[in-house]
Amino acid sequence: QVLLVESRGGLVHPGGSLRLSCAASESIFRFYDVGWYRQAPGKQRELVASISKSSSTTYADSVKGRFTISRDNANNTMYLQMNSLKPEDTAVYYCYTFAGYWGQGTQVTVSS
């Protein structure tokens, strides 16, 4: 199976920034649409952002203008740049490829 590993989550103050990474064990990102989901305690998992093979992007209204999704097909890596973070962004963030592969998640906590 394809392995996806998220990294670079952590604790950040409101207004701060984080850049999440998702590395794949195989060169699959160039073949499929990919995205980032998040799940906060007591809430359902939600799609935050996605990027297609043609590099078109979508964002949840709650993060539009603050988050940027990107991919580096040559290095089998995707990213989520998160700026102007808010406490309500606190969640476990998961990378996903629409081939059906999930990462294990990385915790993002926004707190003063």
Side-chain angles (χ1 to χ4, degrees), residues 21-82:
S21 298
C22 174
S25 61
E26 301 178 17
S27 57
I28 65 169
F29 287 165
R30 67 189 179 99
F31 296 113
Y32 300 100
D33 296 355
V34 297
W36 287 93
Y37 287 74
R38 68 184 181 188
Q39 187 166 22
K43 297 185 177 181
Q44 295 183 352
R45 190 172 297 186
E46 63 176 344
L47 178 64
V48 176
S50 66
I51 184 167
S52 72
K53 287 178 58 180
S54 61
S55 297
S56 63
T57 58
T58 63
Y59 297 94
D61 288 342
S62 59
V63 308
K64 191 172 297 182
R66 300 188 296 120
F67 290 11
T68 303
I69 187 172
S70 61
R71 66 200 301 169
D72 183 347
N73 293 337
N75 291 306
N76 305 317
T77 305
M78 58 179 291
Y79 305 94
L80 185 67
Q81 178 67 47
M82 305 185 294

